[in-house]
Amino acid sequence: MDVKELLKGARLPEAQVSLCLRADLVAEYERVQSEHTKAQKTAGDSLAGSGGAVQALDDRLAALREEMAASTLTVTLRALPSHRYQQLLDEHPPRIVDDVVEPRDRLGFNADTFFLALARACTIAPVLDDEDWQALVGEDGKLTDGQVSKLCNAAYTLNRTGVDLPF
C-alpha cells in the first residue's frame, strides 16, 4: 500500500440537502394528494367511476412536482478538515454565566452562532455570497427553522461522524 498515493486520492465526505423554497407548493401538493386519495376511493366504489377526476388530479400532482423541483435549491456540503473545524469551534466558544456553561452550549460551542457558521463554511455549491446567505437564513430569510436545522444538522453530521465502509 502506497500511503502517498492514498493521500493524493483522499476526499472529505459530502452530503446534499434539498430545500424547497416554495413551501406553498408543498402545502398545495399535500392538499391535492388528499383529494386524489378520496377521488380514487370514490372511483373504486362507484359503478360509473370518476376516472376523469382522478386523471385531472394526477395531472395536477405532476405539475406541482415539476414546480417544486424547479423551486428546490440543492446545497452541497463538504466536511471541513479537522484543523478548520477546530478553528471554527474556537471562534464560537460556549457562553459562560456565573462560571456555568449555558445549557444550550453544553456541546462545547455557542449553539446560537456555531451551527450556521458551520453550515456556511461547509457549503461548496451553489456558491453563495453574503447577500444570498442572508436571503436564505438571515432575519428575513426564506428558509423555515426546520429547513435551517436540516442544513445545519447535515453539516454537523458530516464533521462529527466517522466514515464507515459499506461492506
Side-chain angles (χ1 to χ4, degrees):
M1 169 183 1
D2 184 356
V3 173
K4 291 191 184 320
E5 282 302 311
L6 281 173
L7 289 173
K8 282 181 191 176
R11 303 287 183 268
L12 292 166
E14 294 181 3
Q16 290 188 327
V17 177
S18 295
L19 304 165
C20 183
L21 301 181
R22 290 284 313 273
D24 60 318
L25 294 175
V26 175
E28 174 70 3
Y29 185 87
E30 290 170 353
R31 186 190 65 73
V32 174
Q33 194 170 38
S34 176
E35 283 183 38
H36 183 268
T37 301
K38 290 176 189 171
Q40 280 183 315
K41 183 173 179 355
T42 302
D45 291 345
S46 168
L47 291 176
S50 56
V54 172
Q55 184 59 52
L57 291 169
D58 278 339
D59 295 344
R60 179 67 181 134
L61 288 171
L64 284 167
R65 279 192 294 275
E66 285 180 23
E67 283 185 79
M68 287 186 297
S71 303
T72 296
L73 175 68
T74 299
V75 178
T76 303
L77 303 166
R78 180 182 296 142
L80 302 175
S82 179
H83 74 280
R84 177 64 184 112
Y85 182 81
Q86 188 58 52
Q87 182 182 22
L88 200 58
L89 284 172
D90 294 343
E91 292 169 7
H92 299 273
R95 294 163 288 188
I96 299 174
V97 180
D98 297 326
D99 293 329
V100 176
V101 173
E102 170 75 30
R104 290 178 299 179
D105 297 349
R106 66 184 179 275
L107 291 175
F109 50 79
N110 181 325
D112 290 343
T113 61
F114 175 75
F115 286 112
L116 276 176
L118 177 63
R120 176 80 192 265
C122 290
T123 298
I124 60 168
V127 175
L128 301 171
D129 62 22
D130 291 341
E131 184 181 344
D132 296 334
W133 188 254
Q134 284 305 309
L136 281 176
V137 302
E139 233 175 82
D140 296 321
K142 304 299 182 198
L143 299 181
T144 67
D145 187 55
Q147 289 173 307
V148 171
S149 291
K150 183 178 178 182
L151 187 63
C152 291
N153 287 338
Y156 186 72
T157 299
L158 273 175
N159 284 279
R160 295 301 301 162
T161 57
V163 179
D164 295 327
L165 297 175
F167 52 85

